[in-house]
Amino acid sequence: MVKSLDLRAFDEALDEDVELELEDTAMPLQIAAAYREMHPNPLPKKIYFHELLRLQAELIKLQSWVAHHKEKVVVIFEGRDSAGKGGVIKRITQRLNPRVVRTVALPAPSDREKTQWYFQRYVPHLPAGGEIVLFDRSWYNRAGVERVMGFATEDEVEQFFRDVPEFERMLVRSGIRLVKYWFSITDVEQQMRFLMRIHDPLKQWKLSPMDLQSRVRWEAYTKAKEDMFERTSIPEAPWYIVPGNDKKRARLNCISHLLSLIPYTEVEYEPITLPERVFNPDYERDVLPRDLFVPERY
């Protein structure tokens, strides 16, 4: 459900969007030229920003509907390393209330967590009524990196495949709306994005040893992904694949699709009026010491 919207009220937000998009521009000239050659038909910036702001306005309506009706939404983002999961999560949450919409990105399990029921560490992060939770990677680590890298045994992987359909059916039966996205990019595109990160000091932190191993084990990850789709795409919670070679189109397509899956409606609120400020004639504002203030360097 995406409605048309007059975006003039959002003009001031463009500076924030441009600043966010700078993450895609800091790269050596040779790599930048090669990247442009790989993407000869970029989405015009004007269209991209117009559509992004329109969709973000709809996300605000979705947020209000979820909070008002005490709905529970879980969105899982999985995919190849550097496929764009983080980028779309940033654009989804950019203008939303973090008390309603939160992102969960768990670190590697602790020694204690390794002895728990596998799904136990994820359950505390599930939404209560009126919340949306975005999982930047999820329990599907077991079907992907843990399996390919040997962090889980084949028996543990098989147990996961037996358990996860019923686990997700339980979530859906409890009233959670569960959406699962897989971001897909080509071998060549991933190689280019890794090179961009290697040569960009602002992005090098994104490259972990696991990321680098994903290049070596590309085919193993492909086989694991195909097995995962076959065994865990169920009617109650199917997988949706987002082609991610074009970052901007992937973001817009994913957000638009997510909005189409949830039957939200606009919530009517009482008009907001700004109350008059109360002035106390006996109040005198103290003069604070200068060393309490942040230096004005700009």
Side-chain angles (χ1 to χ4, degrees):
M1 174 181 176
V2 179
K3 301 176 182 178
S4 61
L5 180 72
D6 183 353
L7 295 175
R8 287 174 295 180
F10 288 87
D11 284 346
E12 292 183 1
L14 283 176
D15 286 344
E16 183 181 351
D17 286 290
V18 171
E19 182 179 344
L20 191 57
E21 291 304 317
L22 287 177
E23 68 180 52
D24 298 331
T25 63
M27 68 182 90
L29 293 178
Q30 287 182 322
I31 295 179
Y35 191 77
R36 286 194 297 270
E37 187 176 343
M38 288 174 57
H39 301 83
N41 184 32
L43 189 65
K45 289 182 180 179
K46 184 176 181 180
I47 294 176
Y48 169 69
F49 283 127
H50 184 281
E51 285 302 298
L52 179 62
L53 288 168
R54 182 179 68 83
L55 293 172
Q56 288 177 331
E58 292 299 316
L59 286 170
I60 292 172
K61 295 178 187 177
L62 170 62
Q63 169 187 259
S64 298
W65 179 82
V66 167
H68 181 76
H69 294 284
K70 302 301 180 185
E71 291 282 335
K72 296 175 286 186
V73 180
V74 169
V75 188
I76 287 175
F77 295 87
E78 294 284 350
R80 301 276 190 183
D81 293 312
S82 79
K85 302 178 296 297
V88 75
I89 290 172
K90 284 181 185 178
R91 275 71 182 183
I92 290 173
T93 60
Q94 185 179 1
R95 306 188 192 286
L96 301 183
N97 185 346
R99 294 181 178 85
V100 176
V101 183
R102 55 189 167 87
T103 301
V104 176
L106 298 184
S110 65
D111 289 341
R112 180 177 182 274
E113 288 172 330
K114 290 177 183 177
T115 68
Q116 294 176 342
W117 174 51
Y118 178 69
F119 298 97
Q120 189 169 336
R121 68 193 297 250
Y122 297 98
V123 170
H125 300 281
L126 294 173
E131 295 178 348
I132 301 172
V133 175
L134 312 178
F135 278 95
D136 186 353
R137 297 205 180 280
S138 65
W139 45 86
Y140 282 99
N141 278 341
R142 176 133 296 178
V145 63
E146 291 186 18
R147 183 182 193 183
V148 173
M149 297 302 297
F151 299 146
T153 67
E154 281 302 313
D155 286 343
E156 288 173 327
V157 173
E158 184 60 31
Q159 184 66 50
F160 170 81
F161 280 136
R162 288 197 296 267
D163 290 346
V164 72
E166 186 54 32
F167 174 68
E168 293 181 351
R169 290 188 185 104
M170 289 171 61
L171 298 183
V172 173
R173 287 198 298 268
S174 77
I176 291 176
R177 297 176 184 272
L178 178 59
V179 183
K180 302 186 303 196
Y181 287 114
W182 175 271
F183 280 71
S184 178
I185 57 173
T186 62
D187 187 353
V188 174
E189 180 68 21
Q190 187 188 59
Q191 181 179 19
M192 176 60 71
R193 292 186 185 180
F194 276 14
L195 288 172
M196 290 161 59
R197 290 181 178 183
I198 288 172
H199 291 91
D200 184 349
L202 300 180
K203 287 187 176 183
Q204 285 179 1
W205 64 270
K206 292 186 176 183
L207 278 176
S208 70
M210 293 300 102
D211 295 334
L212 298 176
Q213 278 297 312
S214 70
R215 290 298 300 153
V216 177
R217 307 184 189 216
W218 174 275
E219 292 182 3
Y221 273 100
T222 299
K223 292 176 182 177
K225 173 198 69 175
E226 293 169 349
D227 199 14
M228 182 187 74
F229 284 165
E230 182 178 351
R231 302 189 65 178
T232 65
S233 190
I234 58 177
E236 297 86 346
W239 279 103
Y240 297 104
I241 299 173
V242 181
N245 276 9
D246 187 314
K247 289 182 180 182
K248 290 182 172 60
R249 287 186 170 93
R251 293 166 191 164
L252 299 180
N253 289 333
C254 182
I255 296 172
S256 176
H257 183 263
L258 176 62
L259 290 167
S260 75
L261 294 178
I262 302 177
Y264 69 97
T265 55
E266 193 159 0
V267 176
E268 296 294 333
Y269 291 103
E270 292 292 328
I272 299 174
T273 57
L274 188 65
E276 292 291 330
R277 182 204 188 289
V278 175
F279 289 90
N280 184 347
D282 298 324
Y283 170 75
E284 291 187 10
R285 183 176 180 179
D286 291 335
V287 177
L288 299 176
R290 286 298 305 166
D291 59 3
L292 294 182
F293 291 86
V294 172
E296 296 184 6
R297 298 184 178 179
Y298 301 96

